[in-house]
């Protein structure tokens, strides 16, 4: 069932809707907003297994979005690192067998996934994953017919998974059937497609918007808190207010206003 990185996924596979207000930092590709990523993941999950659900691009997007891990860390996951019953994935630094991970804040770690994401992984392992070993006789989680998915393969599938025109009207006034960007090799040329790093950036902002403590996010994604704020966490102005600050507005009162409110309550 596996596909080489040169193959084009099925026509029923869908991607992410681009956001109007996205951030750029230097030469980075823009990060997807949480609403667009959620819409894409929801669409993938709703399709039959092997059509869109549990395909390599779907599993990659789930892992990138929910773990916030770097591409090298995802590439290095072995079958033995995944516990589907517990719903966890362990990341290990294995430079001697071709899968080093960045030695940053918390490189070797264990992260949990929610049940819907675990169900996708279970479908992938049972029905889609190529049951192959790499050149070191290890059993990779993310595979093609040739072995462990390469960095090039991961990039191509991520760009393809985040093409907007597979689920919404093309924002660039192109017809998907004739658009030259509708292939694994060319998807990165679409201005609305996103790189693995951009998805990681959006995932980190999503964790913060969901109420995760800064230190907990740093531990999960293997990035120091200070660097996380400087290079990864780019909420929009609306997200900053609605997700992180709106609940603090009720605390903006004078001390005697608290006393007055308490007195009124007592009178009633």
């Amino acid at each position: 069932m596996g596909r080489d990185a040169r193959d084009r996924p099925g026509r029923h596979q869908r991607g992410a809707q681009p956001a109007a207000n996205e951030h750029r930092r230097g030469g980075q590709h823009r990060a997807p907003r949480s609403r667009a990523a959620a819409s894409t993941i929801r669409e993938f999950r709703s399709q039959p297994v092997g059509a869109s659900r549990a395909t390599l691009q779907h599993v990659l997007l789930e892992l990138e979005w929910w773990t916030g891990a770097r591409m090298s860390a995802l590439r290095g996951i072995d079958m033995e690192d995944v516990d589907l019953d517990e719903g966890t994935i362990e990341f290990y630094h294995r430079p001697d067998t071709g899968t080093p991970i960045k030695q940053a804040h918390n490189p070797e770690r264990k992260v949990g996934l929610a049940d819907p994401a675990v169900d996708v992984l279970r479908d992938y392992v049972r029905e889609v994953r190529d049951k192959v070993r790499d050149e070191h006789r290890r059993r990779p989680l993310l595979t093609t017919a040739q072995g462990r998915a390469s960095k090039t393969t991961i990039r191509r599938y991520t760009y393809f998974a985040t093409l907007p025109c597979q689920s919404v009207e093309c924002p660039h006034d192109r017809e998907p059937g004739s658009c030259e960007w509708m292939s694994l090799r060319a998807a990165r040329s679409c201005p609305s497609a996103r790189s693995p790093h951009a998805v990681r950036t959006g995932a980190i902002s999503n964790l913060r918007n969901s109420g995760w403590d800064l230190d907990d996010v740093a531990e999960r994604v293997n990035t120091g808190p200070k660097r996380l704020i400087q290079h990864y966490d780019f909420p929009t102005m609306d997200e900053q207010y609605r997700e992180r600050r709106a609940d603090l507005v009720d605390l903006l009162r004078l001390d005697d206003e608290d006393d007055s409110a308490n007195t009124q309550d007592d009178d009633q």
Side-chain angles (χ1 to χ4, degrees), residues 5 56 60 64 71-72 74-76 142 149-159 196:
L56 182 56
L60 274 170
E64 289 166 343
M71 179 170 55
S72 58
L74 296 175
R75 180 177 180 270
L142 303 174
S150 67
K151 289 184 178 180
T152 297
T153 296
I154 291 174
R155 288 193 190 95
R156 285 176 176 171
Y157 274 94
T158 301
Y159 278 117

Side-chain angles (χ1 to χ4, degrees), residues 62-233:
E62 294 267 6
L63 292 175
E64 289 166 343
W65 188 251
W66 299 120
T67 70
R70 293 179 178 84
M71 179 170 55
S72 58
L74 296 175
R75 180 177 180 270
I77 300 171
D78 286 345
M79 289 295 297
E80 292 76 15
D81 303 331
V82 181
D83 189 330
L84 294 175
D85 293 328
E86 187 182 27
T88 59
I89 296 175
E90 297 177 0
F91 293 100
Y92 290 102
H93 179 56
R94 298 180 176 115
D96 294 339
T97 51
T99 58
I101 59 177
K102 186 170 183 177
Q103 299 300 288
H105 186 66
N106 184 39
E108 296 198 340
R109 60 203 187 276
K110 184 175 185 176
V111 303
L113 297 174
D115 288 344
V118 175
D119 289 341
V120 169
L121 281 179
R122 185 175 287 108
D123 287 341
Y124 168 75
V125 169
R126 288 177 177 174
E127 302 187 41
V128 179
R129 174 185 173 270
D130 285 290
K131 296 173 175 57
V132 296
R133 294 179 179 266
D134 67 8
E135 62 270 30
H136 301 284
R137 304 302 299 164
R138 290 166 53 189
R139 297 195 303 153
L141 173 66
L142 303 174
T143 61
T144 67
Q146 286 69 44
R148 187 180 300 274
S150 67
K151 289 184 178 180
T152 297
T153 296
I154 291 174
R155 288 193 190 95
R156 285 176 176 171
Y157 274 94
T158 301
Y159 278 117
F160 193 89
T162 56
L163 284 174
C165 53
Q166 298 192 54
S167 60
V168 298
E169 185 176 349
C170 177
H172 310 292
D173 297 324
R174 291 173 177 247
E175 291 295 329
S178 59
C179 180
E180 66 270 23
W181 297 333
M182 286 292 294
S183 71
L184 282 172
R185 287 184 176 274
R188 66 179 301 161
S189 298
C190 175
S192 297
R194 298 291 178 261
S195 68
H197 180 78
V199 177
R200 167 176 159 85
T201 300
I204 290 172
S205 289
N206 181 61
L207 288 170
R208 294 284 289 129
N209 290 339
S210 299
W212 280 58
D213 179 79
L214 181 63
D215 289 334
D216 290 337
V217 175
E219 290 286 329
R220 187 176 180 86
V221 304
N222 186 26
T223 299
K226 183 176 180 180
R227 181 173 179 81
L228 189 151
I229 292 173
Q230 291 176 336
H231 299 284
Y232 291 100
D233 187 14

